[in-house]
Amino acid sequence: MRKNEPLDLHIPHRQSPLAILVILYEFIRRILSAFWPIVLIYVVRGRTSGQSGDPVYLYIGIGISLISVIGSLISYFRYYYYVTDTDLIIEKGLIERKKITVPFDRIQTINTEQKIIHQLFGVVKLEIDTAGSKKKEIAIDALEQGVAEQIKSFLLLKKKYLQEESSKRKPTPPSKSQDLHQVEPLIRLSITDLVKIGVSQNHIQTALLIIGFGIGFLDDIQEIINFDLYTWIQGQIGQASASYAIFLLMVLPFLLLITFIITLIRTVIRFYHQKVWIAGDGIQLESGLLTRHQSFIHRQKIQRIQWSQNPIKRIFKLFELRIYQASSQQEHAKKTNQIPGCYREALEALRDTTFPRKWFESMDYVRVSTQYRGRLWLYFGILPGILLGFLGYLQDGLPGLWFLVWIPLVWWWAGIVVRRWHIGLNDYALYLKHGFWEVKEDFIPVYKIQAVRLKQSPYQRSHQLATVSISTASGSLEIPYLPLDLAQRMMNYLLFRVESSHLAWM
Amino acid sequence: MFSNTSISPEDLPSVEFLEYQPLHPEYRQIMILRVLVFNAVLLVGLILYVAFNGVALHWIGVIGISFLLLVGVQILIAYRNFAYKGYAIREHDLVYTSGWLFRKWTAISFNRIQHSEVSQGLIERMFDLSTLEVFTAGGSSSDLKIGGLPDKTAHQLRDFITKKIARDEEE
């Protein structure tokens, strides 16, 4: 296809033939990224032992390569894109035949991307974001630059045309963003605030991250360099019966200190001098030590907000506020806007900007069933507790039974979790309060809900209970163990509100 | 309960007592076939493992019996699950129910559907059945997948949904 030749998009087209190479590259990259530790170990082992390796692996390698090549060829030849009067259509599928229909007016953004592989072949990837759904936006892997530009402008034109059509009926007032730097921000984090925030951050999360990463990494390394840390520590302590408990006791304080320092540093780097303004039709954020991040949260795009407080934050009278925007799943992390520390007045001011005040008022509250406590206790307390006690007994004899303390501890924890759960509902919004250490309060305007789901396990069925799951364009929330009739009424009510609402959720 | 809301939830139709359209009876065979195919692959792996590692005879027996038991349970679950699958189309939404042990009802309002797809797997093609997938902006947790529809019905449903979306937007 020539670059400047106008394209008739109404007839099916294939991608650029170079797409075969791009698909192949993606195929191999994905396989390698899944199996790199195996490959690494194999390579290192093969080298140290001086052998050329087991031929079985070679055959597997050749087999995988062959499958990749054939797979890429087939995917290329079975891939078509074209447009109808209202939709963009992509037909594809290696084994399954798939037809993807994207109505023009559902298209949110169209981006072109050029990774190194694309640059190498002079092609681009066209990504069409429809705000959510299935793993990711729809993408056409490899197109000649000219073709991509043509499709992009064609789609944008169609989308714009459709939008103008609809805005003729429902005019929306244009909004202007003002120059913010002359306005006093609502929040301006001082150094003391920043330290308070750093101290009260969720250290457990960081600790788990470090442990998880550390253990995974350690195993790989041990495997490669043939060194057993555990035996080494046993040797150092000079005790043959060193159990994991002693190991933990040695490492734990050290770990806590590192965790604390790391979170503190992370907090400072990320939130240094954070400023928050309430602007014309949204919220403007700015923060960062090394790189200043600026973001603007469009009021329309906010799907839910969550404010939370842990006991340390409560001492400082600080709240953490998260503002969730609609986005594709992949980008969730990026688009969650976090205000790690704000005082009550600022929180209320921000809340009032996002949604009308009356949405927050006169809620009716219900609670989750107390049966939930027993279930939590069974799954997180009794079963693991007995297992731990048994293993402890096998390892250390009677003292190992100390692990059984876990069981009453979890009973206490489950009691607090259940007592905390509050579900509020009014004509406009759903409110959820929950959490053990971090008490979270979620607020979701009902018309932002995408789907409602009711779930029932055999236990729940025999006790007339159900779990309600609510999906929004920025993640789902679960309300566990509601009495069945309440859960049903809630589902029906939420659906009714969603269906009768004429507000645009985005 | 919820007395502050201006509509009484009792007056609204409940998803639990809807008349659900069952899936095509042959879909039950597809579900069982899928279980068999999946386990056949597993079995090949198991056999290779046993062949290369020389497992003692009584262990082969134990592994074999537990494997058969597991397959049996999976087939039973697939067989029972089928009877609980069904969809209902109401004026404003699409409801899908599934699950024998773990029941599930999912409702998606037409005015929240982003796009829909019809797909056909290898096994499905042999039976001339298709799968309808409905996507919202809520991500995978809120997407619907209705398998075991006659190819024609699947396409009709998709066209119906597409039209419904378009009409909703005009209102």
Side-chain angles (χ1 to χ4, degrees):
Chain A
M1 180 124 340
R2 275 282 134 69
K3 260 186 187 175
N4 299 321
E5 211 173 281
L7 201 59
D8 181 10
L9 286 170
H10 289 271
I11 56 170
H13 289 281
R14 288 211 177 97
Q15 305 177 76
S16 156
L18 290 166
I20 302 171
L21 294 172
V22 176
I23 298 167
L24 184 64
Y25 166 80
E26 275 296 311
F27 226 95
I28 293 170
R29 195 188 58 83
R30 223 173 285 162
I31 290 172
L32 278 186
S33 67
F35 295 112
W36 70 266
I38 298 172
V39 174
L40 188 68
I41 288 163
Y42 171 65
V43 168
V44 171
R45 280 243 177 95
R47 200 162 289 163
T48 49
S49 60
Q51 293 164 349
S52 58
D54 203 327
V56 172
Y57 292 105
L58 193 68
Y59 295 143
I60 292 175
I62 292 172
I64 290 174
S65 323
L66 262 179
I67 292 169
S68 314
V69 171
I70 295 168
S72 316
L73 279 173
I74 298 176
S75 346
Y76 170 75
F77 283 108
R78 296 191 59 154
Y79 191 108
Y80 294 99
Y81 62 88
Y82 57 93
V83 298
T84 63
D85 289 340
T86 49
D87 317 272
L88 168 71
I89 290 169
I90 292 173
E91 282 183 27
K92 64 171 179 178
L94 194 59
I95 299 164
E96 290 192 33
R97 254 187 237 135
K98 260 199 171 167
K99 190 171 168 185
I100 303 174
T101 313
V102 192
F104 294 137
D105 53 345
R106 300 272 153 155
I107 294 172
Q108 298 293 340
T109 52
I110 304 167
N111 297 314
T112 51
E113 194 191 49
Q114 242 189 339
K115 289 185 191 158
I116 297 170
I117 179 83
H118 293 103
Q119 285 174 14
L120 217 59
F121 299 128
V123 289
V124 294
K125 180 180 181 182
L126 192 72
E127 293 176 328
I128 296 148
D129 194 344
T130 55
S133 45
K134 209 184 180 185
K135 286 179 275 187
K136 55 166 187 172
E137 67 284 14
I138 289 106
I140 304 177
D141 269 320
L143 291 168
E144 279 110 2
Q145 210 127 26
V147 178
E149 284 307 321
Q150 278 192 46
I151 298 174
K152 189 175 169 181
S153 51
F154 177 83
L155 292 177
L156 284 176
L157 206 73
K158 280 279 185 192
K159 178 174 148 71
K160 201 176 159 201
Y161 171 74
L162 284 168
Q163 270 176 352
E164 272 166 10
E165 280 288 282
S166 62
S167 64
K168 265 179 211 158
R169 270 170 264 140
K170 277 179 266 170
T172 43
S175 49
K176 282 255 163 66
S177 62
Q178 53 210 99
D179 187 15
L180 291 163
H181 290 270
Q182 291 156 15
V183 188
E184 186 57 19
L186 178 71
I187 298 173
R188 189 200 287 272
L189 285 189
S190 64
I191 295 295
T192 41
D193 287 337
L194 206 60
V195 173
K196 282 182 192 171
I197 292 165
V199 170
S200 64
Q201 285 292 72
N202 192 349
H203 295 288
I204 299 164
Q205 208 178 3
T206 323
L208 288 178
L209 219 73
I210 294 173
I211 293 174
F213 184 75
I215 287 176
F217 198 62
L218 219 62
D219 273 356
D220 280 354
I221 299 260
Q222 284 184 7
E223 189 91 21
I224 292 166
I225 61 175
N226 219 349
F227 168 79
D228 191 345
L229 182 74
Y230 187 58
T231 349
W232 180 76
I233 287 174
Q234 278 187 341
Q236 293 297 303
I237 303 168
Q239 273 181 309
S241 71
S243 65
Y244 269 107
I246 296 173
F247 174 67
L248 274 180
L249 276 180
M250 272 179 59
V251 177
L252 212 59
F254 181 61
L255 192 77
L256 280 178
L257 187 72
I258 291 184
T259 310
F260 182 74
I261 293 169
I262 289 180
T263 2
L264 207 63
I265 293 172
R266 265 177 53 188
T267 311
V268 171
I269 289 178
R270 202 165 149 208
F271 297 113
Y272 176 76
H273 213 334
Q274 185 176 52
K275 286 191 263 184
V276 180
W277 295 269
I278 292 172
D281 51 359
I283 297 165
Q284 171 91 34
L285 298 162
E286 200 185 297
S287 71
L289 179 67
L290 303 173
T291 43
R292 292 294 279 174
H293 294 284
Q294 281 191 355
S295 54
F296 183 76
I297 312 170
H298 213 278
R299 185 183 294 144
Q300 272 263 289
K301 293 203 169 174
I302 300 174
Q303 303 294 310
R304 66 177 166 115
I305 58 174
Q306 181 195 67
W307 59 98
S308 61
Q309 221 178 16
N310 60 33
I312 302 173
K313 283 217 165 75
R314 193 167 309 137
I315 296 170
F316 296 138
K317 298 194 168 63
L318 276 173
F319 288 89
E320 176 174 327
L321 178 67
R322 281 165 196 265
I323 299 169
Y324 294 87
Q325 277 179 284
S327 62
S328 306
Q329 272 181 320
Q330 283 175 322
E331 286 174 306
H332 267 176
K334 272 186 268 165
K335 293 215 171 149
T336 307
N337 291 286
Q338 200 184 350
I339 298 168
C342 61
Y343 295 98
R344 186 164 275 285
E345 313 82 66
L347 175 71
E348 272 168 11
L350 282 169
R351 248 172 18 194
D352 289 347
T353 339
T354 50
F355 304 117
R357 169 159 282 198
K358 70 171 178 184
W359 291 11
F360 293 89
E361 286 164 354
S362 63
M363 289 264 181
D364 255 334
Y365 295 98
V366 291
R367 314 283 299 266
V368 301
S369 156
T370 46
Q371 310 272 7
Y372 187 41
R373 184 180 192 179
R375 283 279 115 170
L376 283 176
W377 191 39
L378 178 67
Y379 290 138
F380 296 104
I382 298 175
L383 295 179
I386 288 174
L387 191 71
L388 275 177
F390 181 66
L391 290 179
Y393 181 74
L394 285 186
Q395 176 116 2
D396 300 333
L398 280 180
L401 290 179
W402 271 106
F403 278 116
L404 293 176
V405 176
W406 177 255
I407 296 175
L409 266 179
V410 171
W411 174 251
W412 168 74
W413 164 81
I416 291 181
V417 167
V418 172
R419 223 169 307 134
R420 275 278 158 67
W421 255 106
H422 281 78
I423 301 114
L425 189 68
N426 62 20
D427 273 353
Y428 313 98
L430 180 67
Y431 162 89
L432 308 174
K433 184 179 181 182
H434 54 108
F436 170 72
W437 171 258
E438 195 93 32
V439 182
K440 293 169 185 157
E441 292 171 78
D442 279 295
F443 185 85
I444 311 128
V446 173
Y447 75 97
K448 303 270 183 185
I449 292 173
Q450 300 289 332
V452 192
R453 180 171 284 174
L454 200 73
K455 294 194 273 194
Q456 214 180 27
S457 69
Y459 174 85
Q460 287 178 323
R461 187 153 54 249
S462 65
H463 288 78
Q464 291 290 303
L465 298 166
T467 292
V468 178
S469 164
I470 286 151
S471 304
T472 71
S474 54
S476 15
L477 290 159
E478 231 167 54
I479 308 169
Y481 289 75
L482 282 175
L484 182 63
D485 64 322
L486 190 63
Q488 283 170 347
R489 270 190 278 162
M490 188 152 155
M491 179 177 189
N492 298 329
Y493 178 74
L494 292 176
L495 273 176
F496 167 75
R497 280 284 166 209
V498 169
E499 284 158 14
S500 57
S501 159
H502 289 288
L503 294 169
W505 59 271
M506 197 170 114
Chain B
M1 244 170 271
F2 297 146
S3 52
N4 274 356
T5 49
S6 54
I7 282 277
S8 166
E10 280 84 359
D11 303 338
L12 298 170
S14 173
V15 295
E16 237 214 338
F17 307 108
L18 289 177
E19 288 250 333
Y20 286 100
Q21 291 289 320
L23 305 181
H24 195 278
E26 278 177 349
Y27 189 57
R28 180 175 265 158
Q29 294 162 34
I30 293 183
M31 288 169 67
I32 292 170
L33 256 174
R34 277 190 188 144
V35 170
L36 292 177
V37 168
F38 175 76
N39 283 288
V41 174
L42 267 185
L43 188 65
V44 170
L46 260 178
I47 290 173
L48 282 179
Y49 180 83
V50 170
F52 278 109
N53 289 281
V55 179
L57 206 62
H58 65 277
W59 278 115
I60 295 180
V62 171
I63 294 172
I65 290 170
S66 34
F67 183 77
L68 281 181
L69 272 177
L70 273 176
V71 174
V73 170
Q74 287 175 59
I75 290 177
L76 175 72
I77 290 176
Y79 185 86
R80 298 288 305 171
N81 267 349
F82 172 81
Y84 288 86
K85 285 180 192 285
Y87 64 94
I89 290 175
R90 301 195 291 179
E91 198 185 342
H92 297 292
D93 54 23
L94 174 66
V95 190
Y96 180 64
T97 179
S98 67
W100 159 47
L101 290 172
F102 293 85
R103 307 273 298 126
K104 234 195 246 179
W105 296 264
T106 308
I108 298 180
S109 167
F110 289 127
N111 60 11
R112 293 292 179 273
I113 294 176
Q114 293 276 316
H115 72 277
S116 51
E117 285 174 31
V118 174
S119 66
Q120 199 176 42
L122 211 57
I123 304 178
E124 279 182 319
R125 204 174 304 165
M126 298 192 298
F127 290 86
D128 204 26
L129 295 178
S130 288
T131 299
L132 174 72
E133 286 179 85
V134 174
F135 300 99
T136 70
S140 54
S141 61
S142 66
D143 296 334
L144 262 193
K145 211 169 177 173
I146 306 177
L149 298 169
D151 203 38
K152 212 175 142 200
T153 318
H155 282 97
Q156 278 171 349
L157 274 176
R158 200 203 54 207
D159 293 343
F160 174 79
I161 290 170
T162 313
K163 272 185 207 131
K164 196 82 180 165
I165 298 173
R167 206 177 314 140
D168 274 354
E169 255 152 35
E170 271 165 31
E171 271 167 19

